[in-house]
Amino acid sequence: QVQLVESGGGLVQAGGSLRLSCAASGFIFSIHTMAWYRQAPGKQRELLAAITSSGSTNYADSVKGRFTISRDNAKNTVYLQMNSLKPEDTAVYYCHGYISLRWSSPTNYWGQGTQVTVSS
């Protein structure tokens, strides 16, 4: 019913930048908070950044000042601009949306993940 499709991952050298995108599609009535998570091998999934429907944001300390989350409500899309990338940023990055369908309560939806690899 709802799909979140991420794009923009890849291989980048340390100090470089990448921009991730996540587009939501389906029978969407309202998109509430959207967020980016990541999961490195052997580690738990980590919340990086979140943005509300009104544009309020918060960030994990590990990415504050380097990553910027934004959204385009008209396109049902959330972005993650990642600057000054470090090898420890290497992980699979996941998009999350807290989304309502018509006549239903909000539900958590996840994208399939996109790999980000930062070489030293």
Side-chain angles (χ1 to χ4, degrees), residues 17-118:
S17 298
L18 283 175
R19 188 192 194 209
L20 305 183
S21 300
C22 171
S25 62
F27 296 101
I28 296 168
F29 177 69
S30 180
I31 300 179
H32 307 282
T33 300
M34 298 193 80
W36 288 96
Y37 288 72
R38 70 185 177 192
Q39 188 167 20
K43 295 188 176 181
Q44 289 189 329
R45 191 169 294 191
E46 173 190 15
L47 172 62
L48 301 178
I51 184 167
T52 66
S53 56
S54 61
S56 296
T57 59
N58 62 72
Y59 297 90
D61 288 343
S62 59
V63 304
K64 199 172 294 183
R66 299 189 298 124
F67 292 8
T68 302
I69 190 171
S70 60
R71 65 190 282 173
D72 184 334
N73 291 330
K75 295 181 179 180
N76 289 341
T77 299
V78 63
Y79 306 96
L80 186 68
Q81 178 67 43
M82 306 186 293
N83 298 328
S84 302
L85 283 161
K86 306 174 183 179
E88 51 263 44
D89 293 318
T90 295
V92 178
Y93 284 66
Y94 295 92
C95 172
H96 170 270
Y98 192 52
I99 299 172
S100 296
L101 307 182
R102 191 172 290 276
W103 313 122
S104 72
S105 300
T107 303
N108 294 304
Y109 292 93
W110 292 91
Q112 80 286 355
T114 185
Q115 176 70 45
V116 171
T117 303
V118 184

Side-chain angles (χ1 to χ4, degrees), residues 7-18:
S7 60
L11 174 64
V12 65
Q13 287 189 333
S17 298
L18 283 175

